[in-house]
Amino acid sequence: MIQVTSSDYNFSKHRDIAFVPTMGNLHEGHLNLIKEAKLRSCFVVVSIFINPLQFNDANDLNNYPKSIDTDIKLLEIAGCDLVFLPDESILHDIDSIKASDQSNILCGKSRPGHFDGVLTIVNRLFNIINPKIAFFGLKDYQQFILIKNYAFEHFSDLLIIGVPTSRNIAGLALSSRNNLLSAEELSLASNIYKELYKIKTNFSLNNVDLLANVAKQNLTMLGFNVDYLDYLDAFTLNEVNSSTSTIIIAIAVYLGEIRLIDNILVNEI
Ligand code: AMP
């Protein structure tokens, strides 16, 4: 596996790049993105960069889990062809990207500027690497939609693929942030997906508000601080309307200091 740290590296010598951007502390969710990339018979590039531009809380940034040596071993095993480990110089003279209005809801509401930071680094990485396909997790659903729409406008030859959320056996969405939870919190955290799944199972447009309220109450009683639990049109992230075919039910909660997100798609409405 090639290791590259310089943003001046000539990526164009590799044809048909499949790209997986990450912030490291890799888990099975990241590795599944790499598996999908490998299926495309491309040259697989994974980046690891903890992007300060997308953190609006200095503590969150400082505490973000790091495990670079293990990450590199995992990438070797996964068959990654090149790992890009840019240093902070990647941020020099970076073009700041302003995310569309879709960034002002859900996670963007409580993390102002977060998606500007995400798009700014993703735009830079796409420009440096010039991939043919890029893979993003549907766990970060709002991020996926914003990047897909941004790429559609600015990188018209680039295909953006959304990869379903990888979960542990109890249903908890895998996340680097899970490493910051105690054993007790980790087991409690599986209730997030349980509540989403209950809403999906009983879903109808007539009762979804009630179901969402019950889920919020249940989670609050268990000790979660619910930031939001919303349902929206999965393609536009607008309010559900008569042309909606798929709904996304999205949630963000705090367990202590740790912010966890998840979502579930409902197709039949
Ligand atoms: P991160 O390192 O958290 O920035 O994540 C890098 C990529 O991995 C993003 O596209 C995430 O959406 C994706 N990802 C993170 N966790 C999961 C998961 N549990 N399942 C699927 N994709 C994930």
Side-chain angles (χ1 to χ4, degrees), residues 8-9 70 186 190 268:
D8 294 328
Y9 179 81
T70 315
L186 201 57
S190 60
E268 293 146 47

Side-chain angles (χ1 to χ4, degrees), residues 3 16 25 36 43 47 62 66-67 94 100 106 124 142 149 158 194 204 216 224 230 242 245:
Q3 287 189 36
D16 295 346
N25 196 240
E36 288 292 326
F43 185 84
S47 65
N62 292 334
K66 298 163 196 76
S67 52
I94 197 164
S100 70
L106 304 176
R124 180 94 177 98
Q142 188 178 13
N149 291 343
L158 170 60
K194 286 195 184 111
S204 80
K216 274 190 227 173
F224 294 87
D230 277 344
S242 56
S245 58

Side-chain angles (χ1 to χ4, degrees), residues 16-241:
D16 295 346
I17 293 180
F19 177 42
V20 180
T22 81
M23 296 202 295
N25 196 240
L26 302 180
H27 51 64
E28 205 59 40
H30 297 111
L31 298 178
N32 281 336
L33 265 62
I34 296 163
K35 264 187 211 150
E36 288 292 326
K38 294 283 293 174
L39 290 176
R40 307 285 169 141
S41 316
C42 285
F43 185 84
V44 176
V45 172
V46 175
S47 65
I48 298 181
F49 181 63
I50 302 179
N51 171 28
L53 305 177
Q54 70 189 67
F55 287 81
N56 34 9
D57 174 346
N59 266 342
D60 193 19
L61 173 61
N62 292 334
N63 295 333
Y64 198 83
K66 298 163 196 76
S67 52
I68 193 69
D69 294 341
T70 315
D71 289 352
I72 287 172
K73 283 185 198 132
L74 288 172
L75 290 177
E76 295 263 16
I77 295 166
C80 167
D81 296 298
L82 185 152
V83 59
F84 182 36
L85 303 159
D87 57 30
E88 297 273 318
S89 71
I90 194 174
L91 302 174
H92 290 169
D93 294 329
I94 197 164
D95 289 329
S96 293
I97 307 297
K98 180 93 192 88
S100 70
D101 286 351
Q102 285 174 321
S103 68
N104 299 330
I105 52 169
L106 304 176
C107 286
K109 222 172 174 176
S110 35
R111 302 186 72 190
H114 167 68
F115 289 114
D116 298 343
V118 169
L119 286 181
T120 297
I121 196 71
V122 165
N123 178 64
R124 180 94 177 98
L125 289 166
F126 284 172
N127 277 316
I128 294 171
I129 295 168
N130 192 22
K132 183 176 138 185
I133 320 182
F135 294 82
F136 293 87
L138 296 180
K139 180 179 88 79
D140 299 280
Y141 192 83
Q142 188 178 13
Q143 166 175 285
F144 166 70
I145 293 286
L146 284 162
I147 291 173
K148 194 174 160 62
N149 291 343
Y150 183 79
F152 185 75
E153 272 185 43
H154 300 275
F155 296 88
S156 53
D157 294 336
L158 170 60
L159 184 62
I160 302 290
I161 306 277
V163 179
T165 303
S166 304
R167 303 180 177 282
N168 73 10
I169 191 136
L172 173 64
L174 300 182
S175 165
S176 305
R177 289 201 159 87
N178 295 350
N179 288 337
L180 302 171
L181 300 173
S182 67
E184 196 189 331
E185 287 171 330
L186 201 57
S187 110
L188 202 59
S190 60
N191 286 288
I192 302 166
Y193 186 64
K194 286 195 184 111
E195 290 299 331
L196 287 180
Y197 195 77
K198 269 195 258 171
I199 302 178
K200 176 175 167 128
T201 312
N202 299 305
F203 189 92
S204 80
L205 278 179
N206 290 332
N207 68 5
V208 60
D209 288 318
L210 179 66
L211 293 171
N213 279 334
V214 171
K216 274 190 227 173
Q217 274 171 24
N218 290 345
L219 289 169
T220 305
M221 276 182 337
L222 287 169
F224 294 87
N225 185 355
V226 180
D227 180 16
Y228 66 76
L229 172 51
D230 277 344
Y231 60 98
L232 296 166
D233 182 296
F235 295 102
T236 61
L237 296 185
N238 290 331
E239 302 249 303
V240 173
N241 60 44

